[in-house]
Amino acid sequence: MTTTTFTADDGTTLARHELGRGEPLVCLPGGPMSASGYLGDLGGLSEERRLVMLDLRGTGGSAVPEDTSTYRCDRLVPDVEALRRDLGLERLDLLAHSAGANLAVLYTASHPERVRSLTLVTPSVYAVGLMPSGARRREFAMLRRDEPWFAGAYAALVNITEGRGGPGDWPAIAPFSWGRWDEAARARVAAEDALRNDEAARVYGQDAFDPPSTRAALGDFEGPVRLLAGEYDMGAMPEVVRELARLFPRGVMAVQPGAGHFPWLDDPQEFLRFMRES
């Protein structure tokens, strides 16, 4: 892996990490506002593509900006454009995971001529306003009712979706994001918490989205779009990802069996099959 830096329009120093070979694929991490290291090599995708992973401002190797209001998702769009220019690419193949999908969608809406293809992996949908109800989330959660951890996680989910969630409830629902809630998953959750800039995460979505105008802009995007949901993913339920796919004229959606929010970890070969075939 090689790490280099470049300068954003406002002078903030940003870092990108590159590994692999082949055509470049720019990768935007989720979190929101987690350093890109948790993406790893995306299940071995670096054997087939040159992965260019951006650390968003204030995360990983990127500097904290002087103006922390620039952590807002819509104000991160110029950073992606600065990365494109620094790479010397006319158009990007863009992949985004989870909350990073909001940034990818806003970039695509603002710069459609600069996006050759778009891949959204277990995407967040705040930018397009497709959030499911709490009742639907609780119903979906019943898919995991035979898991040994279900009772405690479900009780926390009820608290959250009914508006009375406490600090301990959010960590308690973590198993719903994983196809297998084992020691490896628990270790990854602990590591990812350390990668996230919590201050930036609080700013990320504040007044950042205009769903009607974004949906309209995406309806004019002519490039290929592929979307992947995990069968058990509470954060990006397959039915919601399917609605997002319908916003794109060339949107194609798949569901990875047995997967949660991190499908390249649950089954790397199945994830690579999606990347090759879609």
Side-chain angles (χ1 to χ4, degrees), residues 119-123 225-231 233 236-243 245 251-257 259-260 263 270-271 273-275 277-278:
T119 302
L120 303 177
V121 178
T122 57
V225 181
R226 52 190 173 183
L227 304 93
L228 181 64
E231 179 183 9
D233 185 15
M237 292 159 47
E239 65 202 58
V240 178
V241 177
R242 188 169 291 108
E243 286 186 62
V252 176
M253 181 261 193
V255 179
Q256 183 169 313
E270 189 66 25
F271 177 76
R273 187 174 300 114
F274 163 78
M275 293 298 298
E277 296 179 355
S278 57

PDB file of all heavy atoms in Angstrom, residues 119-123 225-231 233 236-243 245 251-257 259-260 263 270-271 273-275 277-278:
ATOM      1  N   THR A 119     -20.761   2.293  -7.754  1.00  0.00           N
ATOM      2  CA  THR A 119     -21.066   1.070  -7.013  1.00  0.00           C
ATOM      3  C   THR A 119     -21.349   1.449  -5.571  1.00  0.00           C
ATOM      4  O   THR A 119     -20.507   2.076  -4.912  1.00  0.00           O
ATOM      5  CB  THR A 119     -19.888   0.077  -7.057  1.00  0.00           C
ATOM      6  OG1 THR A 119     -19.583  -0.242  -8.414  1.00  0.00           O
ATOM      7  CG2 THR A 119     -20.237  -1.207  -6.308  1.00  0.00           C
ATOM      8  N   LEU A 120     -22.532   1.095  -5.072  1.00  0.00           N
ATOM      9  CA  LEU A 120     -22.945   1.427  -3.709  1.00  0.00           C
ATOM     10  C   LEU A 120     -23.122   0.131  -2.933  1.00  0.00           C
ATOM     11  O   LEU A 120     -23.986  -0.686  -3.264  1.00  0.00           O
ATOM     12  CB  LEU A 120     -24.243   2.235  -3.728  1.00  0.00           C
ATOM     13  CG  LEU A 120     -24.196   3.537  -4.549  1.00  0.00           C
ATOM     14  CD1 LEU A 120     -25.559   4.206  -4.556  1.00  0.00           C
ATOM     15  CD2 LEU A 120     -23.124   4.485  -4.020  1.00  0.00           C
ATOM     16  N   VAL A 121     -22.315  -0.057  -1.903  1.00  0.00           N
ATOM     17  CA  VAL A 121     -22.309  -1.279  -1.106  1.00  0.00           C
ATOM     18  C   VAL A 121     -22.991  -1.006   0.227  1.00  0.00           C
ATOM     19  O   VAL A 121     -22.573  -0.125   0.976  1.00  0.00           O
ATOM     20  CB  VAL A 121     -20.864  -1.775  -0.886  1.00  0.00           C
ATOM     21  CG1 VAL A 121     -20.855  -3.023  -0.009  1.00  0.00           C
ATOM     22  CG2 VAL A 121     -20.182  -2.051  -2.224  1.00  0.00           C
ATOM     23  N   THR A 122     -24.056  -1.747   0.497  1.00  0.00           N
ATOM     24  CA  THR A 122     -24.887  -1.560   1.693  1.00  0.00           C
ATOM     25  C   THR A 122     -25.041  -0.076   2.012  1.00  0.00           C
ATOM     26  O   THR A 122     -24.641   0.408   3.062  1.00  0.00           O
ATOM     27  CB  THR A 122     -24.333  -2.345   2.905  1.00  0.00           C
ATOM     28  OG1 THR A 122     -22.983  -1.954   3.179  1.00  0.00           O
ATOM     29  CG2 THR A 122     -24.376  -3.842   2.645  1.00  0.00           C
ATOM     30  N   PRO A 123     -25.655   0.664   1.092  1.00  0.00           N
ATOM     31  CA  PRO A 123     -25.637   2.137   1.164  1.00  0.00           C
ATOM     32  C   PRO A 123     -26.603   2.732   2.174  1.00  0.00           C
ATOM     33  O   PRO A 123     -27.720   2.251   2.364  1.00  0.00           O
ATOM     34  CB  PRO A 123     -26.037   2.551  -0.252  1.00  0.00           C
ATOM     35  CG  PRO A 123     -26.916   1.426  -0.730  1.00  0.00           C
ATOM     36  CD  PRO A 123     -26.294   0.182  -0.148  1.00  0.00           C
ATOM     37  N   VAL A 225     -24.972   1.821 -12.680  1.00  0.00           N
ATOM     38  CA  VAL A 225     -24.983   1.873 -11.213  1.00  0.00           C
ATOM     39  C   VAL A 225     -25.312   0.478 -10.699  1.00  0.00           C
ATOM     40  O   VAL A 225     -26.298  -0.124 -11.106  1.00  0.00           O
ATOM     41  CB  VAL A 225     -26.026   2.878 -10.688  1.00  0.00           C
ATOM     42  CG1 VAL A 225     -25.997   2.943  -9.162  1.00  0.00           C
ATOM     43  CG2 VAL A 225     -25.808   4.256 -11.287  1.00  0.00           C
ATOM     44  N   ARG A 226     -24.480  -0.027  -9.814  1.00  0.00           N
ATOM     45  CA  ARG A 226     -24.752  -1.322  -9.196  1.00  0.00           C
ATOM     46  C   ARG A 226     -24.824  -1.144  -7.690  1.00  0.00           C
ATOM     47  O   ARG A 226     -24.037  -0.388  -7.099  1.00  0.00           O
ATOM     48  CB  ARG A 226     -23.703  -2.347  -9.598  1.00  0.00           C
ATOM     49  CG  ARG A 226     -22.271  -1.911  -9.373  1.00  0.00           C
ATOM     50  CD  ARG A 226     -21.310  -2.887 -10.015  1.00  0.00           C
ATOM     51  NE  ARG A 226     -19.948  -2.400  -9.939  1.00  0.00           N
ATOM     52  CZ  ARG A 226     -18.914  -3.026 -10.475  1.00  0.00           C
ATOM     53  NH1 ARG A 226     -19.101  -4.161 -11.126  1.00  0.00           N
ATOM     54  NH2 ARG A 226     -17.697  -2.533 -10.372  1.00  0.00           N
ATOM     55  N   LEU A 227     -25.754  -1.825  -7.072  1.00  0.00           N
ATOM     56  CA  LEU A 227     -25.991  -1.683  -5.642  1.00  0.00           C
ATOM     57  C   LEU A 227     -26.034  -3.071  -5.021  1.00  0.00           C
ATOM     58  O   LEU A 227     -26.635  -4.001  -5.590  1.00  0.00           O
ATOM     59  CB  LEU A 227     -27.304  -0.952  -5.369  1.00  0.00           C
ATOM     60  CG  LEU A 227     -27.466   0.434  -5.995  1.00  0.00           C
ATOM     61  CD1 LEU A 227     -28.162   0.330  -7.346  1.00  0.00           C
ATOM     62  CD2 LEU A 227     -28.250   1.368  -5.081  1.00  0.00           C
ATOM     63  N   LEU A 228     -25.417  -3.203  -3.848  1.00  0.00           N
ATOM     64  CA  LEU A 228     -25.376  -4.483  -3.152  1.00  0.00           C
ATOM     65  C   LEU A 228     -25.926  -4.320  -1.744  1.00  0.00           C
ATOM     66  O   LEU A 228     -25.494  -3.447  -0.990  1.00  0.00           O
ATOM     67  CB  LEU A 228     -23.942  -5.011  -3.081  1.00  0.00           C
ATOM     68  CG  LEU A 228     -23.756  -6.364  -2.386  1.00  0.00           C
ATOM     69  CD1 LEU A 228     -24.475  -7.464  -3.167  1.00  0.00           C
ATOM     70  CD2 LEU A 228     -22.283  -6.697  -2.218  1.00  0.00           C
ATOM     71  N   ALA A 229     -26.882  -5.180  -1.408  1.00  0.00           N
ATOM     72  CA  ALA A 229     -27.430  -5.250  -0.055  1.00  0.00           C
ATOM     73  C   ALA A 229     -27.027  -6.572   0.576  1.00  0.00           C
ATOM     74  O   ALA A 229     -26.817  -7.568  -0.122  1.00  0.00           O
ATOM     75  CB  ALA A 229     -28.952  -5.133  -0.084  1.00  0.00           C
ATOM     76  N   GLY A 230     -26.927  -6.582   1.910  1.00  0.00           N
ATOM     77  CA  GLY A 230     -26.734  -7.824   2.641  1.00  0.00           C
ATOM     78  C   GLY A 230     -28.081  -8.360   3.090  1.00  0.00           C
ATOM     79  O   GLY A 230     -28.953  -7.603   3.534  1.00  0.00           O
ATOM     80  N   GLU A 231     -28.265  -9.659   2.979  1.00  0.00           N
ATOM     81  CA  GLU A 231     -29.557 -10.272   3.316  1.00  0.00           C
ATOM     82  C   GLU A 231     -30.038  -9.885   4.706  1.00  0.00           C
ATOM     83  O   GLU A 231     -31.238  -9.658   4.918  1.00  0.00           O
ATOM     84  CB  GLU A 231     -29.437 -11.794   3.224  1.00  0.00           C
ATOM     85  CG  GLU A 231     -30.712 -12.536   3.578  1.00  0.00           C
ATOM     86  CD  GLU A 231     -30.552 -14.046   3.553  1.00  0.00           C
ATOM     87  OE1 GLU A 231     -29.398 -14.531   3.422  1.00  0.00           O
ATOM     88  OE2 GLU A 231     -31.576 -14.762   3.670  1.00  0.00           O
ATOM     89  N   ASP A 233     -28.823  -7.235   6.638  1.00  0.00           N
ATOM     90  CA  ASP A 233     -28.328  -5.926   7.047  1.00  0.00           C
ATOM     91  C   ASP A 233     -29.442  -4.992   7.493  1.00  0.00           C
ATOM     92  O   ASP A 233     -30.264  -4.560   6.693  1.00  0.00           O
ATOM     93  CB  ASP A 233     -27.543  -5.294   5.895  1.00  0.00           C
ATOM     94  CG  ASP A 233     -26.902  -3.973   6.286  1.00  0.00           C
ATOM     95  OD1 ASP A 233     -26.816  -3.690   7.492  1.00  0.00           O
ATOM     96  OD2 ASP A 233     -26.482  -3.246   5.379  1.00  0.00           O
ATOM     97  N   ALA A 236     -28.958  -1.246   5.915  1.00  0.00           N
ATOM     98  CA  ALA A 236     -29.300  -1.020   4.507  1.00  0.00           C
ATOM     99  C   ALA A 236     -30.178  -2.186   4.054  1.00  0.00           C
ATOM    100  O   ALA A 236     -29.757  -3.056   3.307  1.00  0.00           O
ATOM    101  CB  ALA A 236     -28.039  -0.923   3.650  1.00  0.00           C
ATOM    102  N   MET A 237     -31.413  -2.171   4.527  1.00  0.00           N
ATOM    103  CA  MET A 237     -32.325  -3.270   4.257  1.00  0.00           C
ATOM    104  C   MET A 237     -32.506  -3.456   2.746  1.00  0.00           C
ATOM    105  O   MET A 237     -32.594  -2.481   2.006  1.00  0.00           O
ATOM    106  CB  MET A 237     -33.664  -2.997   4.926  1.00  0.00           C
ATOM    107  CG  MET A 237     -33.591  -3.045   6.445  1.00  0.00           C
ATOM    108  SD  MET A 237     -34.935  -2.162   7.298  1.00  0.00           S
ATOM    109  CE  MET A 237     -36.367  -2.737   6.421  1.00  0.00           C
ATOM    110  N   PRO A 238     -32.531  -4.706   2.276  1.00  0.00           N
ATOM    111  CA  PRO A 238     -32.632  -4.934   0.829  1.00  0.00           C
ATOM    112  C   PRO A 238     -33.773  -4.192   0.155  1.00  0.00           C
ATOM    113  O   PRO A 238     -33.604  -3.677  -0.953  1.00  0.00           O
ATOM    114  CB  PRO A 238     -32.802  -6.452   0.742  1.00  0.00           C
ATOM    115  CG  PRO A 238     -32.051  -6.977   1.929  1.00  0.00           C
ATOM    116  CD  PRO A 238     -32.313  -5.970   3.020  1.00  0.00           C
ATOM    117  N   GLU A 239     -34.918  -4.096   0.790  1.00  0.00           N
ATOM    118  CA  GLU A 239     -36.042  -3.417   0.154  1.00  0.00           C
ATOM    119  C   GLU A 239     -35.763  -1.924  -0.041  1.00  0.00           C
ATOM    120  O   GLU A 239     -36.222  -1.317  -1.022  1.00  0.00           O
ATOM    121  CB  GLU A 239     -37.305  -3.604   0.996  1.00  0.00           C
ATOM    122  CG  GLU A 239     -37.242  -2.945   2.376  1.00  0.00           C
ATOM    123  CD  GLU A 239     -38.213  -3.549   3.358  1.00  0.00           C
ATOM    124  OE1 GLU A 239     -38.156  -4.764   3.615  1.00  0.00           O
ATOM    125  OE2 GLU A 239     -39.045  -2.781   3.868  1.00  0.00           O
ATOM    126  N   VAL A 240     -34.980  -1.345   0.872  1.00  0.00           N
ATOM    127  CA  VAL A 240     -34.640   0.072   0.754  1.00  0.00           C
ATOM    128  C   VAL A 240     -33.593   0.271  -0.336  1.00  0.00           C
ATOM    129  O   VAL A 240     -33.671   1.216  -1.129  1.00  0.00           O
ATOM    130  CB  VAL A 240     -34.143   0.621   2.105  1.00  0.00           C
ATOM    131  CG1 VAL A 240     -33.731   2.083   1.975  1.00  0.00           C
ATOM    132  CG2 VAL A 240     -35.229   0.480   3.167  1.00  0.00           C
ATOM    133  N   VAL A 241     -32.614  -0.627  -0.393  1.00  0.00           N
ATOM    134  CA  VAL A 241     -31.604  -0.550  -1.449  1.00  0.00           C
ATOM    135  C   VAL A 241     -32.269  -0.708  -2.819  1.00  0.00           C
ATOM    136  O   VAL A 241     -31.887  -0.056  -3.790  1.00  0.00           O
ATOM    137  CB  VAL A 241     -30.515  -1.612  -1.230  1.00  0.00           C
ATOM    138  CG1 VAL A 241     -29.494  -1.595  -2.364  1.00  0.00           C
ATOM    139  CG2 VAL A 241     -29.809  -1.373   0.110  1.00  0.00           C
ATOM    140  N   ARG A 242     -33.285  -1.539  -2.888  1.00  0.00           N
ATOM    141  CA  ARG A 242     -34.014  -1.716  -4.155  1.00  0.00           C
ATOM    142  C   ARG A 242     -34.707  -0.413  -4.566  1.00  0.00           C
ATOM    143  O   ARG A 242     -34.712  -0.045  -5.748  1.00  0.00           O
ATOM    144  CB  ARG A 242     -35.031  -2.841  -4.011  1.00  0.00           C
ATOM    145  CG  ARG A 242     -35.730  -3.245  -5.316  1.00  0.00           C
ATOM    146  CD  ARG A 242     -36.517  -4.519  -5.166  1.00  0.00           C
ATOM    147  NE  ARG A 242     -35.647  -5.669  -4.992  1.00  0.00           N
ATOM    148  CZ  ARG A 242     -35.482  -6.353  -3.855  1.00  0.00           C
ATOM    149  NH1 ARG A 242     -36.144  -5.977  -2.767  1.00  0.00           N
ATOM    150  NH2 ARG A 242     -34.674  -7.372  -3.783  1.00  0.00           N
ATOM    151  N   GLU A 243     -35.280   0.300  -3.583  1.00  0.00           N
ATOM    152  CA  GLU A 243     -35.884   1.604  -3.894  1.00  0.00           C
ATOM    153  C   GLU A 243     -34.840   2.581  -4.412  1.00  0.00           C
ATOM    154  O   GLU A 243     -35.092   3.347  -5.353  1.00  0.00           O
ATOM    155  CB  GLU A 243     -36.549   2.182  -2.648  1.00  0.00           C
ATOM    156  CG  GLU A 243     -37.847   1.529  -2.237  1.00  0.00           C
ATOM    157  CD  GLU A 243     -38.478   2.272  -1.073  1.00  0.00           C
ATOM    158  OE1 GLU A 243     -38.814   3.470  -1.250  1.00  0.00           O
ATOM    159  OE2 GLU A 243     -38.600   1.682   0.010  1.00  0.00           O
ATOM    160  N   ALA A 245     -32.092   1.818  -5.994  1.00  0.00           N
ATOM    161  CA  ALA A 245     -31.712   1.399  -7.351  1.00  0.00           C
ATOM    162  C   ALA A 245     -32.692   1.938  -8.391  1.00  0.00           C
ATOM    163  O   ALA A 245     -32.289   2.288  -9.506  1.00  0.00           O
ATOM    164  CB  ALA A 245     -31.650  -0.124  -7.423  1.00  0.00           C
ATOM    165  N   GLY A 251     -29.798   1.436 -12.818  1.00  0.00           N
ATOM    166  CA  GLY A 251     -29.494   0.832 -11.529  1.00  0.00           C
ATOM    167  C   GLY A 251     -29.760  -0.661 -11.521  1.00  0.00           C
ATOM    168  O   GLY A 251     -30.830  -1.115 -11.931  1.00  0.00           O
ATOM    169  N   VAL A 252     -28.787  -1.446 -11.053  1.00  0.00           N
ATOM    170  CA  VAL A 252     -28.910  -2.897 -10.927  1.00  0.00           C
ATOM    171  C   VAL A 252     -28.587  -3.265  -9.489  1.00  0.00           C
ATOM    172  O   VAL A 252     -27.549  -2.866  -8.954  1.00  0.00           O
ATOM    173  CB  VAL A 252     -27.947  -3.627 -11.887  1.00  0.00           C
ATOM    174  CG1 VAL A 252     -28.021  -5.132 -11.668  1.00  0.00           C
ATOM    175  CG2 VAL A 252     -28.261  -3.281 -13.336  1.00  0.00           C
ATOM    176  N   MET A 253     -29.472  -4.025  -8.851  1.00  0.00           N
ATOM    177  CA  MET A 253     -29.330  -4.319  -7.439  1.00  0.00           C
ATOM    178  C   MET A 253     -29.240  -5.821  -7.205  1.00  0.00           C
ATOM    179  O   MET A 253     -29.893  -6.610  -7.879  1.00  0.00           O
ATOM    180  CB  MET A 253     -30.522  -3.723  -6.679  1.00  0.00           C
ATOM    181  CG  MET A 253     -30.496  -3.928  -5.178  1.00  0.00           C
ATOM    182  SD  MET A 253     -31.552  -5.334  -4.712  1.00  0.00           S
ATOM    183  CE  MET A 253     -31.655  -5.083  -2.938  1.00  0.00           C
ATOM    184  N   ALA A 254     -28.408  -6.228  -6.246  1.00  0.00           N
ATOM    185  CA  ALA A 254     -28.278  -7.628  -5.859  1.00  0.00           C
ATOM    186  C   ALA A 254     -28.275  -7.725  -4.343  1.00  0.00           C
ATOM    187  O   ALA A 254     -27.968  -6.757  -3.639  1.00  0.00           O
ATOM    188  CB  ALA A 254     -26.998  -8.234  -6.430  1.00  0.00           C
ATOM    189  N   VAL A 255     -28.619  -8.895  -3.831  1.00  0.00           N
ATOM    190  CA  VAL A 255     -28.599  -9.181  -2.404  1.00  0.00           C
ATOM    191  C   VAL A 255     -27.610 -10.315  -2.168  1.00  0.00           C
ATOM    192  O   VAL A 255     -27.721 -11.377  -2.793  1.00  0.00           O
ATOM    193  CB  VAL A 255     -29.991  -9.587  -1.879  1.00  0.00           C
ATOM    194  CG1 VAL A 255     -29.925  -9.911  -0.389  1.00  0.00           C
ATOM    195  CG2 VAL A 255     -31.012  -8.487  -2.142  1.00  0.00           C
ATOM    196  N   GLN A 256     -26.652 -10.099  -1.284  1.00  0.00           N
ATOM    197  CA  GLN A 256     -25.685 -11.150  -0.973  1.00  0.00           C
ATOM    198  C   GLN A 256     -26.238 -12.025   0.151  1.00  0.00           C
ATOM    199  O   GLN A 256     -26.460 -11.550   1.261  1.00  0.00           O
ATOM    200  CB  GLN A 256     -24.341 -10.563  -0.566  1.00  0.00           C
ATOM    201  CG  GLN A 256     -23.277 -11.621  -0.301  1.00  0.00           C
ATOM    202  CD  GLN A 256     -21.901 -11.033  -0.159  1.00  0.00           C
ATOM    203  OE1 GLN A 256     -21.473 -10.198  -0.965  1.00  0.00           O
ATOM    204  NE2 GLN A 256     -21.175 -11.458   0.862  1.00  0.00           N
ATOM    205  N   PRO A 257     -26.448 -13.316  -0.113  1.00  0.00           N
ATOM    206  CA  PRO A 257     -27.031 -14.201   0.906  1.00  0.00           C
ATOM    207  C   PRO A 257     -26.150 -14.301   2.147  1.00  0.00           C
ATOM    208  O   PRO A 257     -24.923 -14.369   2.066  1.00  0.00           O
ATOM    209  CB  PRO A 257     -27.102 -15.555   0.188  1.00  0.00           C
ATOM    210  CG  PRO A 257     -27.060 -15.232  -1.268  1.00  0.00           C
ATOM    211  CD  PRO A 257     -26.211 -14.011  -1.383  1.00  0.00           C
ATOM    212  N   ALA A 259     -25.262 -12.215   4.287  1.00  0.00           N
ATOM    213  CA  ALA A 259     -24.355 -11.104   4.593  1.00  0.00           C
ATOM    214  C   ALA A 259     -25.047 -10.047   5.429  1.00  0.00           C
ATOM    215  O   ALA A 259     -26.269  -9.885   5.396  1.00  0.00           O
ATOM    216  CB  ALA A 259     -23.820 -10.480   3.308  1.00  0.00           C
ATOM    217  N   GLY A 260     -24.218  -9.287   6.151  1.00  0.00           N
ATOM    218  CA  GLY A 260     -24.685  -8.129   6.880  1.00  0.00           C
ATOM    219  C   GLY A 260     -24.220  -6.851   6.200  1.00  0.00           C
ATOM    220  O   GLY A 260     -24.251  -6.743   4.974  1.00  0.00           O
ATOM    221  N   PRO A 263     -20.320  -7.014   3.477  1.00  0.00           N
ATOM    222  CA  PRO A 263     -20.407  -8.261   2.712  1.00  0.00           C
ATOM    223  C   PRO A 263     -19.073  -8.818   2.258  1.00  0.00           C
ATOM    224  O   PRO A 263     -18.938 -10.036   2.089  1.00  0.00           O
ATOM    225  CB  PRO A 263     -21.301  -7.887   1.526  1.00  0.00           C
ATOM    226  CG  PRO A 263     -21.255  -6.399   1.442  1.00  0.00           C
ATOM    227  CD  PRO A 263     -21.072  -5.913   2.836  1.00  0.00           C
ATOM    228  N   GLU A 270     -18.215 -14.320  -2.735  1.00  0.00           N
ATOM    229  CA  GLU A 270     -19.515 -13.872  -3.221  1.00  0.00           C
ATOM    230  C   GLU A 270     -19.480 -12.381  -3.538  1.00  0.00           C
ATOM    231  O   GLU A 270     -20.074 -11.928  -4.523  1.00  0.00           O
ATOM    232  CB  GLU A 270     -20.592 -14.167  -2.181  1.00  0.00           C
ATOM    233  CG  GLU A 270     -22.011 -13.943  -2.662  1.00  0.00           C
ATOM    234  CD  GLU A 270     -22.444 -14.899  -3.763  1.00  0.00           C
ATOM    235  OE1 GLU A 270     -21.873 -16.013  -3.852  1.00  0.00           O
ATOM    236  OE2 GLU A 270     -23.335 -14.529  -4.550  1.00  0.00           O
ATOM    237  N   PHE A 271     -18.781 -11.628  -2.705  1.00  0.00           N
ATOM    238  CA  PHE A 271     -18.646 -10.188  -2.971  1.00  0.00           C
ATOM    239  C   PHE A 271     -17.896  -9.946  -4.287  1.00  0.00           C
ATOM    240  O   PHE A 271     -18.306  -9.117  -5.110  1.00  0.00           O
ATOM    241  CB  PHE A 271     -17.912  -9.518  -1.811  1.00  0.00           C
ATOM    242  CG  PHE A 271     -17.658  -8.045  -2.018  1.00  0.00           C
ATOM    243  CD1 PHE A 271     -18.679  -7.132  -1.866  1.00  0.00           C
ATOM    244  CD2 PHE A 271     -16.406  -7.586  -2.391  1.00  0.00           C
ATOM    245  CE1 PHE A 271     -18.461  -5.772  -2.052  1.00  0.00           C
ATOM    246  CE2 PHE A 271     -16.166  -6.230  -2.581  1.00  0.00           C
ATOM    247  CZ  PHE A 271     -17.197  -5.331  -2.414  1.00  0.00           C
ATOM    248  N   ARG A 273     -17.702 -11.935  -6.775  1.00  0.00           N
ATOM    249  CA  ARG A 273     -18.572 -12.360  -7.886  1.00  0.00           C
ATOM    250  C   ARG A 273     -19.520 -11.238  -8.286  1.00  0.00           C
ATOM    251  O   ARG A 273     -19.736 -10.975  -9.468  1.00  0.00           O
ATOM    252  CB  ARG A 273     -19.355 -13.612  -7.484  1.00  0.00           C
ATOM    253  CG  ARG A 273     -20.165 -14.230  -8.631  1.00  0.00           C
ATOM    254  CD  ARG A 273     -20.808 -15.542  -8.203  1.00  0.00           C
ATOM    255  NE  ARG A 273     -19.805 -16.508  -7.806  1.00  0.00           N
ATOM    256  CZ  ARG A 273     -19.628 -16.992  -6.574  1.00  0.00           C
ATOM    257  NH1 ARG A 273     -20.404 -16.552  -5.584  1.00  0.00           N
ATOM    258  NH2 ARG A 273     -18.700 -17.857  -6.301  1.00  0.00           N
ATOM    259  N   PHE A 274     -20.065 -10.563  -7.282  1.00  0.00           N
ATOM    260  CA  PHE A 274     -20.921  -9.410  -7.583  1.00  0.00           C
ATOM    261  C   PHE A 274     -20.147  -8.337  -8.332  1.00  0.00           C
ATOM    262  O   PHE A 274     -20.635  -7.778  -9.319  1.00  0.00           O
ATOM    263  CB  PHE A 274     -21.485  -8.834  -6.279  1.00  0.00           C
ATOM    264  CG  PHE A 274     -22.035  -7.446  -6.399  1.00  0.00           C
ATOM    265  CD1 PHE A 274     -23.290  -7.222  -6.965  1.00  0.00           C
ATOM    266  CD2 PHE A 274     -21.300  -6.352  -5.965  1.00  0.00           C
ATOM    267  CE1 PHE A 274     -23.783  -5.936  -7.100  1.00  0.00           C
ATOM    268  CE2 PHE A 274     -21.797  -5.060  -6.086  1.00  0.00           C
ATOM    269  CZ  PHE A 274     -23.042  -4.853  -6.660  1.00  0.00           C
ATOM    270  N   MET A 275     -18.944  -8.039  -7.882  1.00  0.00           N
ATOM    271  CA  MET A 275     -18.157  -6.994  -8.516  1.00  0.00           C
ATOM    272  C   MET A 275     -17.792  -7.342  -9.951  1.00  0.00           C
ATOM    273  O   MET A 275     -17.700  -6.470 -10.813  1.00  0.00           O
ATOM    274  CB  MET A 275     -16.889  -6.721  -7.696  1.00  0.00           C
ATOM    275  CG  MET A 275     -17.131  -6.110  -6.328  1.00  0.00           C
ATOM    276  SD  MET A 275     -17.941  -4.477  -6.399  1.00  0.00           S
ATOM    277  CE  MET A 275     -16.713  -3.516  -7.299  1.00  0.00           C
ATOM    278  N   GLU A 277     -19.570  -9.492 -11.979  1.00  0.00           N
ATOM    279  CA  GLU A 277     -20.695  -9.823 -12.864  1.00  0.00           C
ATOM    280  C   GLU A 277     -21.691  -8.710 -13.051  1.00  0.00           C
ATOM    281  O   GLU A 277     -22.411  -8.678 -14.045  1.00  0.00           O
ATOM    282  CB  GLU A 277     -21.422 -11.070 -12.322  1.00  0.00           C
ATOM    283  CG  GLU A 277     -20.555 -12.318 -12.340  1.00  0.00           C
ATOM    284  CD  GLU A 277     -21.288 -13.518 -11.772  1.00  0.00           C
ATOM    285  OE1 GLU A 277     -22.439 -13.344 -11.284  1.00  0.00           O
ATOM    286  OE2 GLU A 277     -20.708 -14.631 -11.770  1.00  0.00           O
ATOM    287  N   SER A 278     -21.786  -7.803 -12.106  1.00  0.00           N
ATOM    288  CA  SER A 278     -22.840  -6.788 -12.204  1.00  0.00           C
ATOM    289  C   SER A 278     -22.425  -5.659 -13.119  1.00  0.00           C
ATOM    290  O   SER A 278     -21.270  -5.547 -13.520  1.00  0.00           O
ATOM    291  CB  SER A 278     -23.172  -6.250 -10.808  1.00  0.00           C
ATOM    292  OG  SER A 278     -22.027  -5.719 -10.192  1.00  0.00           O
TER     293      SER A 278
END
